[in-house]
Amino acid sequence: MITQPFDPFTLDVIQQALTAIAEEMFVIIKRTAMSPIIYEVLDVGTGITDAQGNMVSSGAGIPGFVGVLDKSVQRLLELIPPDSMRDGDIYITNDPYYGGVTHLNDAVLAMPVFVDGALVAWTANIGHWSDVGGSVPGSMAVDARDIYAEGLRLPAVKLVDAGQPIEPVLAIMAANSRLPDFLRGDMWASIAAVRKGNERITRLVHTYGRDLFDAAIADYFDYAERQSRNGLARLPKGRLALHEPMDDGTVWHAAIEIDDAYFTVDLRDAPDQRALPFNTSRDGALVAVQLIFKMATAPDTVCNAGSYRPLRLLTRPGSIFHPIEPAPHGYYSEIRIRLSDMLWHGLAQASPEQFPAGHFGSVCGTVIAGRHPHTGRRFTMVEPEMGGWGATATRDGNSAMYSTNHGETFNCPVEIAEARYGFLFRRFGLNREPGGEGRYRGGPGLLQGYEITSTETQLSAGYTRNKQPVWGLAGGAAGTTNRIEIDRLDGSHETHAFVSGLPLAQGDVVRIVTARGGGWGAPSTHGDP
């Protein structure tokens, strides 16, 4: 809480400048990265924290990525003595047990910002790197029994020392990737972004002084907290007991308790951690909980560390939401999105007028790796998919949008995919299969198919909501399910949900089918959106 009065207009100028800096960092990565998953899909996040690692501002990008950065910085501060850090240092981590939060494909770069010898802030970003080793191209094996099988682990190590790259570290990273040129390109884009953010923050502190800079951040936190508490006051109070069936036949249990002071999520009754890549770190579970809390309380206002002061999370070590090393994390995203979907479902049942019905609820991560048919160069396509969103009390659901956890991302254009990977697209449109009927109808998902023309090609994919259809709300009908299909050249047909290292032959057609959203209200005659 601020005790000394400051000009509110100047505080606002500094706050907006910090937001603009995070946005500029995002644009730098978007324009300079080498991989389509970053520069086209925007599978990236940028942010600024205060000196203690509390999130101050963020750029555009994936909410589930932006929520990682403060946790990564805080873990770095636990692992690395602050007095050993120097101006110009940059750290890297991708390991969920060392601040990476997600899985080994997602590299976090963080840079301490020093002004006159004092640590004043951090700039940080995260992006999905297309290959970091492991047993299959794309580094996402569905049969990994521990994290060692998933690729190169970077346990919060220094990447740049006082402005100079540490070449042995770069060499180790490149040697462990099937796509070293792309890894280097994406890495340097990330380095450029944190450096530019450092430069801008340093200038900002020199312009306004350290006291005013710190006061602006504290005021920003207090403002965000007030917005969250205003939203919390509007939510129904009490305890919601949640249960949700999963595709594998298990039933997850959780609870939400809402009172005047806190929004508490209790995940202590979660299933035990698995010796398969279907776990998410405790910090990853927290990101999912933060997403739902923000949506329920203050979705249209600023988001920073103050936003989550009324939020509490209870977990049990050794569970899928708080795994212990060396549990693998390759498909953490599906565990995390299943968690946020379960919490969303519980809140929607309690207040159906305020929430939409369920959406397709999966990242539908799709990885195809091979050699380009014309150049012979290795490629790895990494792509989340779009799907249908649920209807609301006032309108039909949106068509073919990204999932809640993916936010402001985009599909890779057909022209880019055909040029980069040599695919031949046979279809790209909406999946209008029956489902999601109601007073308002769930939006259709995606239907796309492309022919494989490359050699040495393999498929890896992770789709949930493959057996359990999307939930409807207030009497609305359930939506449909997600799946990936393969029409083989020999006339055979396959359907998959989780698979890795699956060989694809030239002439095979891969078809992606994502679910229609749930309907809202009692079914009635209503046209397709």
Side-chain angles (χ1 to χ4, degrees):
M1 188 71 67
I2 296 176
T3 57
Q4 179 181 352
F6 287 99
D7 172 13
F9 298 102
T10 304
L11 295 178
D12 188 62
V13 168
I14 295 171
Q15 292 160 4
Q16 297 309 311
L18 288 166
T19 298
I21 293 167
E23 290 282 2
E24 183 179 13
M25 291 165 58
F26 180 85
V27 172
I28 288 170
I29 296 178
K30 173 183 175 181
R31 292 183 176 177
T32 59
M34 282 192 66
S35 299
I37 183 64
I38 295 180
Y39 73 74
E40 289 288 352
V41 178
L42 306 183
D43 202 346
V44 67
T46 59
I48 296 168
T49 79
D50 67 7
Q52 292 74 44
N54 300 301
M55 181 62 72
V56 176
S57 62
S58 60
I62 299 176
F65 268 9
V66 169
V68 165
L69 299 176
D70 56 339
K71 301 161 187 62
S72 297
V73 171
Q74 289 164 15
R75 184 69 172 134
L76 280 168
L77 286 166
E78 291 175 359
L79 295 169
I80 301 169
D83 58 6
S84 72
M85 299 176 182
R86 298 192 293 171
D87 191 16
D89 288 352
I90 299 175
Y91 298 88
I92 185 169
T93 183
N94 70 342
D95 193 309
Y97 299 105
Y98 295 85
V101 177
T102 57
H103 64 175
L104 300 185
N105 287 89
D106 298 332
V108 176
L109 271 68
M111 185 175 193
V113 181
F114 289 91
V115 177
D116 297 329
L119 177 63
V120 301
W122 288 77
T123 58
N125 60 58
I126 178 174
H128 184 106
W129 289 2
S130 297
D131 190 283
V132 289
S135 60
V136 297
S139 313
M140 294 175 64
V142 300
D143 58 353
R145 298 290 177 176
D146 53 41
I147 197 167
Y148 306 112
E150 295 186 316
L152 175 67
R153 301 176 68 185
L154 298 166
V157 297
K158 188 180 289 188
L159 180 67
V160 177
D161 182 27
Q164 298 301 312
I166 302 175
E167 293 299 336
V169 175
L170 272 62
I172 291 170
M173 291 162 53
N176 278 273
S177 174
R178 297 172 179 85
L179 301 168
D181 292 345
F182 286 89
L183 184 147
R184 289 190 186 97
D186 295 338
M187 178 197 69
W188 281 108
S190 298
I191 290 173
V194 293
R195 282 176 165 171
K196 179 56 69 174
N198 184 310
E199 174 190 324
R200 298 292 195 214
I201 293 171
T202 301
R203 185 181 304 175
L204 193 65
V205 176
H206 280 151
T207 299
Y208 292 99
R210 176 69 186 275
D211 289 345
L212 194 52
F213 177 80
D214 289 344
I217 291 176
D219 178 74
Y220 215 20
F221 290 163
D222 291 344
Y223 171 76
E225 180 183 3
R226 289 195 298 272
Q227 299 304 309
S228 290
R229 292 200 178 279
N230 289 340
L232 180 63
R234 295 190 292 268
L235 294 179
K237 304 304 183 287
R239 183 178 178 85
L240 299 173
L242 313 179
H243 67 277
E244 196 80 13
M246 298 293 138
D247 288 342
D248 62 3
T250 61
V251 178
W252 290 3
H253 296 271
I256 300 174
E257 188 160 348
I258 304 172
D259 58 32
D260 293 334
Y262 291 104
F263 184 106
T264 302
V265 175
D266 188 345
L267 302 179
R268 290 174 293 185
D269 199 21
D272 291 342
Q273 69 183 55
R274 301 185 63 185
L276 286 170
F278 309 122
N279 305 284
T280 187
S281 65
R282 187 189 187 279
D283 280 341
L286 179 57
V287 172
V289 171
Q290 288 177 330
L291 178 74
I292 294 301
F293 176 77
K294 190 72 172 73
M295 178 187 75
T297 56
D300 299 322
T301 64
V302 64
C303 182
N304 60 42
S307 303
Y308 303 112
R309 286 174 177 168
L311 177 63
R312 296 192 300 187
L313 173 63
L314 305 175
T315 59
R316 175 176 60 85
S319 70
I320 59 171
F321 301 129
H322 193 157
I324 297 170
E325 191 174 357
H329 288 66
Y331 287 91
Y332 83 95
S333 57
E334 293 305 310
I335 301 304
R336 201 161 78 178
I337 201 169
R338 294 268 52 76
L339 171 57
S340 60
D341 189 67
M342 176 173 63
L343 300 176
W344 173 2
H345 193 184
L347 291 171
Q349 289 175 315
S351 302
E353 298 289 336
Q354 298 181 40
F355 292 89
H359 76 325
F360 74 110
S362 175
V363 173
C364 294
T366 308
V367 179
I368 298 180
R371 290 190 180 274
H372 196 283
H374 304 305
T375 66
R377 189 180 188 186
R378 284 187 179 273
F379 71 83
T380 299
M381 182 207 82
V382 184
E383 189 171 84
E385 307 297 347
M386 301 175 290
W389 275 61
T392 74
T394 60
R395 60 172 176 80
D396 293 328
N398 290 329
S399 305
M401 302 286 289
Y402 278 105
S403 67
T404 50
N405 293 34
H406 253 266
E408 299 173 277
T409 46
F410 298 87
N411 63 294
C412 185
V414 169
E415 297 84 358
I416 297 295
E418 289 190 334
R420 281 295 190 117
Y421 315 129
F423 300 160
L424 292 177
F425 274 75
R426 298 305 188 191
R427 183 166 186 175
F428 197 104
L430 298 178
N431 172 23
R432 296 188 178 276
E433 62 188 356
E437 295 82 9
R439 185 187 310 170
Y440 293 98
R441 189 172 191 183
L446 177 71
L447 179 59
Q448 67 169 317
Y450 37 80
E451 180 181 332
I452 301 300
T453 62
S454 54
T455 60
E456 302 178 30
T457 306
Q458 297 182 20
L459 167 70
S460 297
Y463 290 34
T464 51
R465 282 238 175 268
N466 173 252
K467 295 179 180 178
Q468 294 290 336
V470 177
W471 46 271
L473 188 61
T480 58
T481 58
N482 304 303
R483 58 195 181 275
I484 186 165
E485 303 174 344
I486 302 172
D487 292 331
R488 297 288 188 179
L489 192 60
D490 63 8
S492 61
H493 177 82
E494 303 170 15
T495 300
H496 297 279
F498 280 91
V499 67
S500 61
L502 181 71
L504 297 173
Q506 288 178 307
D508 289 347
V509 173
V510 176
R511 185 164 55 252
I512 292 165
V513 185
T514 61
R516 182 186 279 274
W520 197 101
S524 61
T525 304
H526 198 73
D528 201 5

